[in-house]
Amino acid sequence: MQFHTKQLNKMTVMKAVTSLIIIMAVLIVSVVCIVFAATNAANKGALGTYESWGENLSVDVRTNAEERGITVSTSLTESQFASLFGGDRGFEGVAIVTSSRHVLYDSGDFLGELIPSGAEMPQEGTEVSVAKYGDKSYVLAISRLEGEYFTVGYIDFTASAHAISSMRKSVSAIFVVSALFIMGSFVAYVVTTGLDERGHRYKYKLTTDIEGRILSSNEAFKTDFPQTIRLYENVLNFSDNSLTAIKIPCYDDEVFVACAAKRTTKGNIKLTADLLSMPYNSQATKQIEMMNEMYSSFLPKHKTFLIGIINFADLPNIDTMFGREFTKSVHSVLYERIAKRFTYIYVLDTYNIGVLYKGGKDYSILLEDLKSIVDSYNEPIKIDENIVNVKTKCGFAVCDNNMAHRTFDYAMTSAEAALRRAKQDEQRDYYVFHSAEIKAYSKYFFNYDIREMLEDNMFEMEYQPQYGIKEGRIVGFEALFRVKKTANVMVDIFDLISYAERSGYMLLLSEFIFDTAMRFAKSVEDKNVTVSLNVSPVQLMQAGFCESFLEIYDRYNLREGSICVEITESFLVQNFEYAIKKLEILQEHGIEIHLDDFGTRYSSLLYLKKLPVRVIKIDREFVVDVTDNELDKSITEMIVNICNKHNLLCIAEGVETMEQYNELKKMGVDIIQGWLVSKSVPANDAIRLIDEFKLK
């Protein structure tokens, strides 16, 4: 993102700032004058009217007394006092008081025994003032009658007071809006015109080669971004005539900076940058790539250093119970705890943090403190009066000259082996892998050559049938990736896929999975069944995913509805809008979208509202006890009702008994999947099931 402009020199910036200050000062003075004049005019106008009433009131009282021959004195009765007032001239009440403020007569029973001490007792003429009683304001018009006696007229002034207050608020609002508009205009002007080095002192200064690798930087940059050794944007596109916004990872967050660039005589790029606080749409830098590059930078500098993976085992459950925002707060606390001892930290995914610790004098101290460090991660976390415990498991590996291979992949594999060992040990929360102890880690250790395994034909696809209740036959299959049993390799499929995603082999695996499954789909196309494929976050978010997927789809000339894509909502938290665009592209080509594991996370209904979903799969957790647990039954019924109301198909996973089947059928579930029908089977057995299977 660039801000194209003519540049501003220092004098231009000074003039702009000075102009802004003058404009703001004039605006403030003008508004104050307007408010002062308007409110005073309103007060004077209203009080002037009441003052004339007060004078007329005194005249009426005197005239009336003279005509009737009454001399005002304390001996007059209340009725005689009342007879003095021939008219109230619009007042709500009238009264006669003495110079000592005692009320002799009050027609409205407002003043009580004494008039307010703040009211003026005039020597001559009429004194008009405002007195507040409770939530109302009253005007008191006091005139000397004769000797020690005074007449008082009073009237409710509340409406006028509110009108004046409203005027002040309106003028104040206009002032605030005007001030914000002027300030916003100024900021927009500066941002869109940019600042060159002559007019702005940049915080960060650095030099990179043409590929973005940082050759040198000032102390401010090193302090704020100790992990950054490369910029992933194309620095050749930067210029000194415009500012280019880039995103730089900073611990578990990302900071936006605006850069200006100049070519040096040696062909490198000299960059000056400063913080930028505005939205930015650049593609996020991959943390695993940054960790890899930092690891590589350690190799020539340190004979021995540490690499590790910290896993938050209970975080998925907390996410389900408390929601995404609460989980993010917990994640931040955990991250802060890690940052106390590890400078180089990388968020590999929501539940795993990668760390590096360079060699040196503090290295041995760190190893001695590892137990207390890991114990601190497991301390209770309190957020908004909620206290949670996150069980943390850690795997570390010592990277030294004894390590069989000092590549990043091997080091990460070693750390993962230590992590798996820790996960299987209920007594210990961390292990440290060292090459001298490799035998102890043999059953946890793996480092696959995915390319070689593909060439040796060690992988296969199996297919688990989906039974249509209304159709009374198998209507589809879920394609599942497997390692052939004949390969004689003990491996967890999730570990293998995780390794493939981390090492960059996922593209090769994806091509094998998609090609094999679509070839099977073509072979059963005439039997009117669909084949669904699980797509991982890494696959979906890869650049060119849709193109490569559709290329295989078109290769087999598959008809619409023969292929479905299954996505789990657990990975849609990030890049949600981007995921929707890709799924819509697939849908436009006749590929249905299935939402897997529905209902297991709090955000399901939001995803259902926005995603182009055709089928919802009810997670087996609700199906297992659907016949015995009323809550599971109610949740399942709710999901089925949503599907029926919005013309969506509903698949129930994990169906193993006829009791479950009958309950789900009664609810209106469309399709079941589980061992009641069949486990996943090879392609030939799957084809046979289509023709032969009958639900008993």
Side-chain angles (χ1 to χ4, degrees):
M1 174 169 42
Q2 291 187 336
F3 308 103
H4 299 283
T5 75
K6 48 189 181 180
Q7 294 191 353
L8 295 174
N9 57 29
K10 187 173 183 179
M11 185 60 67
T12 305
V13 176
M14 293 290 290
K15 288 180 178 178
V17 173
T18 303
S19 299
L20 177 65
I21 294 173
I22 293 173
I23 292 172
M24 292 296 294
V26 171
L27 180 63
I28 292 172
V29 172
S30 300
V31 170
V32 171
C33 291
I34 292 172
V35 173
F36 182 85
T39 54
N40 272 288
N43 272 304
K44 286 182 178 179
L47 294 178
T49 300
Y50 298 137
E51 188 173 83
S52 66
W53 285 348
E55 291 175 350
N56 291 332
L57 175 66
S58 295
V59 171
D60 285 349
V61 172
R62 290 193 185 94
T63 302
N64 194 14
E66 291 172 356
E67 289 177 351
R68 301 182 59 187
I70 298 175
T71 301
V72 178
S73 69
T74 55
S75 63
L76 291 177
T77 64
E78 183 175 328
S79 60
Q80 289 176 316
F81 274 124
S83 68
L84 294 176
F85 297 93
D88 59 16
R89 296 290 181 180
F91 285 93
E92 291 183 10
V94 291
I96 290 182
V97 299
T98 66
S99 57
S100 60
R101 299 180 180 275
H102 285 276
V103 178
L104 302 178
Y105 168 77
D106 183 0
S107 67
D109 293 326
F110 167 71
L111 297 177
E113 295 182 359
L114 295 170
I115 66 169
S117 58
E120 292 292 333
M121 306 297 286
Q123 295 299 318
E124 59 183 17
T126 303
E127 180 66 34
V128 179
S129 60
V130 178
K132 192 169 181 64
Y133 291 85
D135 59 349
K136 287 192 174 185
S137 300
Y138 288 87
V139 170
L140 300 179
I142 305 175
S143 300
R144 179 176 288 276
L145 185 58
E146 61 180 62
E148 62 175 335
Y149 301 105
F150 297 84
T151 60
V152 178
Y154 52 87
I155 191 168
D156 188 353
F157 191 56
T158 304
S160 299
H162 284 177
I164 292 170
S165 175
S166 177
M167 179 185 297
R168 288 173 176 167
K169 290 179 180 178
S170 298
V171 174
S172 298
I174 294 172
F175 165 69
V176 172
V177 172
S178 301
L180 291 175
F181 175 77
I182 293 173
M183 292 178 66
S185 301
F186 175 75
V187 171
Y189 173 68
V190 172
V191 171
T192 55
T193 53
L195 302 173
D196 64 11
E197 282 193 86
R198 294 171 297 170
H200 182 72
R201 185 170 183 175
Y202 286 88
K203 182 176 182 181
Y204 306 120
K205 296 181 181 180
L206 57 154
T207 302
T208 73
D209 61 16
I210 59 175
E211 294 181 351
R213 283 187 288 269
I214 297 174
L215 305 177
S216 63
S217 61
N218 65 350
E219 285 302 318
F221 188 87
K222 292 177 181 177
T223 301
D224 290 351
F225 308 105
Q227 306 178 71
T228 303
I229 59 176
R230 178 182 176 184
L231 302 181
Y232 285 81
E233 283 79 1
N234 186 356
V235 294
L236 293 176
N237 290 337
F238 298 178
S239 75
D240 61 345
N241 293 320
S242 62
L243 293 175
T244 302
I246 65 172
K247 189 187 312 187
I248 300 180
C250 183
Y251 298 107
D252 66 339
D253 200 359
E254 288 165 330
V255 174
F256 306 106
V257 300
C259 294
K262 289 183 180 179
R263 282 286 192 102
T264 67
T265 55
K266 295 182 179 180
N268 296 323
I269 310 296
K270 183 179 179 182
L271 294 171
T272 50
D274 212 342
L275 294 176
L276 175 70
S277 55
M278 61 177 4
Y280 177 56
N281 296 321
S282 174
Q283 185 175 355
T285 303
K286 295 180 180 178
Q287 295 265 313
I288 191 68
E289 292 180 6
M290 292 191 61
M291 188 174 179
N292 188 349
E293 293 199 13
M294 183 57 68
Y295 175 92
S296 300
S297 72
F298 278 8
L299 290 175
K301 299 177 182 178
H302 306 284
K303 291 183 178 180
T304 304
F305 57 93
L306 198 71
I307 189 171
I309 302 173
I310 301 173
N311 174 260
F312 306 137
D314 294 336
L315 210 56
N317 296 330
I318 292 174
D319 195 1
T320 301
M321 293 174 61
F322 294 97
R324 185 190 313 167
E325 292 304 318
F326 184 87
T327 305
K328 286 172 66 176
S329 299
V330 173
H331 194 280
S332 297
V333 173
L334 292 168
Y335 190 93
E336 289 174 3
R337 291 178 178 178
I338 296 171
K340 289 180 180 179
R341 293 303 296 268
F342 292 94
T343 303
Y344 304 98
I345 310 171
Y346 306 88
V347 181
L348 305 179
D349 56 46
T350 306
Y351 311 120
N352 292 282
I353 299 286
V355 296
L356 289 169
Y357 195 88
K358 61 186 180 181
K361 60 182 181 180
D362 296 330
Y363 174 78
S364 58
I365 298 175
L366 176 81
L367 290 181
E368 292 175 1
D369 293 344
L370 266 182
K371 184 179 186 309
S372 61
I373 292 172
V374 174
D375 287 344
S376 71
Y377 301 158
N378 288 316
E379 293 176 357
I381 297 173
K382 183 177 180 181
I383 297 175
D384 297 333
E385 304 304 321
N386 294 309
I387 299 177
V388 295
N389 290 283
V390 181
K391 190 63 176 176
T392 303
K393 292 288 186 176
C394 306
F396 301 97
V398 175
C399 304
D400 57 13
N401 291 329
N402 295 321
M403 184 172 273
H405 307 282
R406 295 199 80 188
T407 63
F408 176 71
D409 286 346
Y410 188 88
M412 282 292 283
T413 298
S414 302
E416 286 177 348
L419 176 60
R420 280 193 296 278
R421 187 176 181 185
K423 285 182 176 180
Q424 293 183 13
D425 191 334
E426 294 183 0
Q427 304 301 318
R428 290 189 58 176
D429 294 327
Y430 78 98
Y431 274 91
V432 181
F433 170 87
H434 194 285
S435 295
E437 303 171 332
I438 193 168
K439 289 185 178 180
Y441 289 86
S442 58
K443 66 177 181 178
Y444 308 104
F445 197 95
F446 69 87
N447 188 12
Y448 303 109
D449 188 332
I450 303 294
R451 189 182 299 276
E452 183 178 340
M453 294 179 76
L454 282 168
E455 292 174 354
D456 292 343
N457 195 28
M458 297 175 68
F459 302 132
E460 66 180 351
M461 297 297 294
E462 289 188 349
Y463 305 91
Q464 186 170 29
Q466 298 168 333
Y467 181 82
I469 295 177
K470 294 178 182 178
E471 295 83 354
R473 64 177 181 85
I474 291 174
V475 296
F477 292 92
E478 180 179 357
L480 300 169
F481 175 68
R482 298 283 188 260
V483 176
K484 288 183 178 179
K485 296 179 177 63
T486 55
N488 197 28
V489 176
M490 298 300 294
V491 56
D492 183 283
I493 290 297
F494 294 104
D495 283 341
L496 178 63
I497 292 178
S498 175
Y499 174 78
E501 290 177 342
R502 190 187 70 250
S503 61
Y505 282 117
M506 199 62 214
L507 283 173
L508 289 174
L509 274 188
S510 297
E511 185 174 355
F512 167 80
I513 292 169
F514 297 156
D515 184 81
T516 306
M518 290 187 194
R519 184 167 63 250
F520 171 75
K522 187 65 178 179
S523 69
V524 296
E525 192 175 53
D526 60 334
K527 298 182 182 294
N528 197 25
V529 296
T530 61
V531 177
S532 57
L533 294 163
N534 291 287
V535 175
S536 75
V538 172
Q539 290 172 305
L540 185 64
M541 294 304 162
Q542 281 174 341
F545 164 79
C546 290
E547 291 79 359
S548 60
F549 188 92
L550 293 173
E551 189 275 328
I552 300 173
Y553 179 75
D554 294 336
R555 182 190 306 165
Y556 289 102
N557 193 28
L558 290 162
R559 69 186 182 193
E560 291 189 6
S562 58
I563 290 292
C564 308
V565 166
E566 284 193 18
I567 55 171
T568 57
E569 55 176 306
S570 59
F571 75 83
L572 291 171
V573 174
Q574 299 175 342
N575 299 315
F576 183 47
E577 299 301 328
Y578 187 48
I580 290 177
K581 292 179 182 178
K582 290 201 169 190
L583 295 175
E584 287 176 342
I585 292 174
L586 298 181
Q587 187 186 50
E588 290 171 359
H589 287 78
I591 298 168
E592 291 185 351
I593 309 301
H594 292 191
L595 184 58
D596 200 7
D597 300 337
F598 184 78
T600 58
R601 297 175 68 86
Y602 86 106
S603 52
S604 297
L605 295 178
L606 173 63
Y607 294 144
L608 180 59
K609 176 182 177 181
K610 293 191 174 184
L611 289 171
V613 173
R614 166 64 178 149
V615 176
I616 288 177
K617 299 187 76 174
I618 303 175
D619 189 81
R620 69 182 310 278
E621 290 297 323
F622 301 118
V623 174
V624 170
D625 297 321
V626 73
T627 57
D628 304 319
N629 188 297
E630 287 299 321
L631 180 59
D632 285 347
K633 183 177 179 180
S634 298
I635 293 174
T636 304
E637 285 180 331
M638 177 194 71
I639 297 173
V640 174
N641 290 336
I642 290 174
C643 291
N644 292 338
K645 187 172 183 179
H646 297 281
N647 197 29
L648 301 174
L649 291 178
C650 182
I651 299 177
E653 294 185 293
V655 182
E656 299 180 1
T657 67
M658 284 301 297
E659 288 78 10
Q660 293 170 342
Y661 169 78
N662 290 330
E663 188 67 41
L664 294 168
K665 180 180 180 181
K666 185 167 59 176
M667 290 182 187
V669 170
D670 299 295
I671 300 169
I672 63 166
Q673 179 180 338
W675 287 7
L676 179 64
V677 182
S678 173
K679 298 180 180 180
S680 61
V681 296
N684 291 335
D685 293 337
I687 295 173
R688 179 179 53 79
L689 281 173
I690 297 174
D691 299 324
E692 299 178 3
F693 178 79
K694 299 292 182 183
L695 187 63
K696 298 178 182 180

